[in-house]
Amino acid sequence: MNTWLVARRDLVGYLRSYAGFAIISGCLLIDGLLFNFVALGQGAEYSHKVLEEFFNLTSGLTMIAAILFTMPTLAEEHDNGTDVLLRTSAVSDRSVVLGKFFGAMGMLGLLVALTAYMPAMILVNGKISLAHVAVGYLGLMLLGSSVASIGVFASSLFRTQLPAGVIGGVITVAMLLGWAGSQVTDPPFTDVLAYVALYQGHFEAFKEGRLLSGGVIFYLSVTFVFLTLATTVLQSRRHE
Amino acid sequence: MIEVRHLTRYYGSFAALEDVSFEIREGEIIGLLGLNGAGKSTTLKILAGLITPSEGEVKFEGHDVTENPEAVRSRIGYLPESPPLYKDMTVSAFLTHIGRLKGMSAADVQRRLPSVIELAQLQGREDQIIDTLSHGYRKRVGIAQAVLHDPRLVILDEPISGLDPRQIVGMREVIRGLADKRGVIVSSHILSEISQTCDRILVIDGGRLVAQGTEAELAERAGGGERRIQITVKGDEARFVEWLAAHPAVEAAKPLLATHPGTAVAHVELKERDGRAKLVPDLIQAGFTLWLLEGPEDDLEEIFLGLTGKAA
């Protein structure tokens, strides 16, 4: 219940502000242009390949949007002094972090849902399976939840949202580059870096419409780890 | 209600509080008096559960604030110096949200809201966006959020800072209204405010509690208080001061500037607290017409200086 209260406040705040609409409309515009010129502009192509390219393009924007939605979550509360309201309430630090996370995920979900017209166009003009669409969207939300948890963690570290966004972005890029790192290192680093890679090795199956438990577990684990870290940061503030 | 024992708080190697102990009883308004940086806000943050003490304990109705913070927090209302507000919300929407965060049901919030709006003198502002309120009204919204869940202890950090004189009078009424069935602790570096609002005063200096008690008790401890009076009579100033200096109950007498023609004013330090009972009849018998008898205007200020040896 407490988690929902925190999430609802953030969601309403986003929907009342220009920032929420600016992020959503900006991402949709870029996604639409990329879909038109990259996914559809390659000449004749199988519908499922176009759909894969759509998920590929949308995954990047989902990650960027996740950082943008989460960077103010805890940092802005700290900056405005309203974190006092949460820290002196009956809400636990874990519920605060979860509320912030789900608030951002609500906006991310709205953004991802609004991209549905693109798969719908492929469906109308070609032949794709609805299961492929559903698994692809599940992958987008799982990838988004991982990056959102990184963003919430980064936001817990700072008083203002800009450094939170930068650090959240740096952690995300570092994890995306894990795959590249695995190509130039020796075991056991090869396996470790390959496993922590946010996209390669995990998202490909989703964009191809294959639901693998390993990918689901990976994204949920990343989410759990970073939300736990964010909770620890909040708890440690009482001892500063 | 609240027992604070040997509270110590370090920020790095800097001791913001050292071995502070005191109690707060139900129905009591406690004033926490000290200069900026004396440790007032740190004390209040620990009481509110915002930060933990390095050493010592805070027991709230038997519960340790550090060990069981979430249970205790729901019984405490806290207003920091700068009121924490979601400025994009209306007053009533904000208070409803805070009530729910404090663990109240939606029905309880709606039931309690009218009385809190009245207590904080926010009538007619319920539907106003907080961002459009004046500083004084924002402070009141801050107080309303601190008392909405009917806490047993209300903590107010510098509640009158930044308010104009009319708002200060209103805020005093609000603070007095809070102590009806709960404890209230108010911090301030403004001596007159503490003097007018609080039942008991804690004087904190350099992170240490240097004195606590009523204003009269502190005055006694500072070595003056009720032994210092100011007398205005009709008559000749030189004869008046000479007569005072010779009186057996008077330790010292100093003439002051008279504000009315034909009167003489003197600041008198008595040898004993009840010295005025001997002095006044003798004064009249000596032929002086007693115009005014009062304590020094800056009583608490002198007490504070006496206790801390610093300028406020």
Side-chain angles (χ1 to χ4, degrees), chain B:
Chain B
M1 193 165 81
I2 281 250
E3 285 178 60
V4 176
R5 294 278 168 266
H6 308 295
L7 209 59
T8 298
R9 183 54 152 92
Y10 289 98
Y11 291 110
S13 60
F14 171 71
L17 277 184
E18 280 187 275
D19 199 24
V20 169
S21 299
F22 61 89
E23 285 178 13
I24 304 172
R25 296 183 281 269
E26 187 176 323
E28 197 176 35
I29 304 181
I30 299 287
L32 192 57
L33 178 65
L35 304 175
N36 291 327
K40 303 186 298 294
S41 292
T42 300
T43 306
L44 298 187
K45 281 179 185 173
I46 292 172
L47 291 182
L50 271 176
I51 56 174
T52 53
S54 306
E55 289 167 29
E57 62 174 13
V58 180
K59 287 215 163 177
F60 182 83
E61 294 181 332
H63 299 281
D64 193 306
V65 169
T66 316
E67 285 174 6
N68 197 2
E70 280 154 34
V72 172
R73 270 186 251 149
S74 61
R75 290 187 238 173
I76 291 175
Y78 174 58
L79 173 67
E81 184 174 354
S82 179
L85 306 167
Y86 293 122
K87 292 176 189 162
D88 58 324
M89 299 176 97
T90 64
V91 171
S92 58
F94 171 74
L95 292 175
T96 302
H97 177 63
I98 296 301
R100 302 300 310 279
L101 283 179
K102 303 269 187 184
M104 299 170 75
S105 69
D108 282 346
V109 173
Q110 292 314 312
R111 200 163 32 245
R112 178 113 175 97
L113 210 49
S115 62
V116 170
I117 293 278
E118 190 183 340
L119 177 73
Q121 300 172 0
L122 283 164
Q123 298 97 322
R125 307 280 172 173
E126 296 94 327
D127 298 323
Q128 196 167 338
I129 299 284
I130 291 172
D131 201 28
T132 64
L133 292 174
S134 68
H135 184 67
Y137 274 106
R138 288 184 194 183
K139 282 266 183 186
R140 290 182 193 188
V141 178
I143 287 207
Q145 66 79 24
V147 301
L148 180 66
H149 57 302
D150 201 13
R152 301 279 294 133
L153 175 71
V154 180
I155 300 166
L156 307 173
D157 194 356
E158 304 273 2
I160 61 148
S161 73
L163 300 186
D164 65 36
R166 194 164 53 87
Q167 291 170 332
I168 288 173
V169 172
M171 187 59 75
R172 273 188 211 134
E173 288 172 17
V174 171
I175 293 170
R176 285 196 198 102
L178 294 177
D180 189 23
K181 52 184 178 177
R182 51 175 78 88
V184 180
I185 182 162
V186 182
S187 85
S188 182
H189 62 277
I190 301 171
L191 306 170
S192 58
E193 200 48 46
I194 290 283
S195 171
Q196 289 185 49
T197 318
C198 302
D199 305 318
R200 199 153 57 88
I201 301 164
L202 311 176
V203 182
I204 193 162
D205 185 48
R208 289 182 169 276
L209 193 65
V210 293
Q212 58 178 307
T214 62
E215 191 178 343
E217 286 167 350
L218 293 181
E220 192 59 34
R221 190 171 158 186
E226 291 179 16
R227 290 195 293 114
R228 286 198 302 266
I229 55 173
Q230 194 169 299
I231 306 173
T232 307
V233 295
K234 273 197 166 180
D236 178 62
E237 183 185 278
R239 190 173 86 83
F240 174 51
V241 175
E242 192 182 332
W243 181 87
L244 282 172
H247 194 278
V250 174
E251 180 77 42
K254 181 175 73 176
L256 298 173
L257 193 65
T259 50
H260 296 283
T263 61
V265 187
H267 183 280
V268 178
E269 190 164 339
L270 300 164
K271 286 178 179 165
E272 294 169 358
R273 278 176 73 175
D274 57 355
R276 70 181 76 186
K278 297 172 192 167
L279 182 67
V280 173
D282 292 349
L283 189 72
I284 294 164
Q285 254 187 355
F288 295 104
T289 303
L290 184 61
W291 188 265
L292 191 62
L293 178 70
E294 58 189 337
E297 278 180 12
D298 54 353
D299 221 6
L300 191 56
E301 213 158 292
E302 288 191 15
I303 296 166
F304 184 80
L305 292 174
L307 290 167
T308 64
K310 291 175 183 174

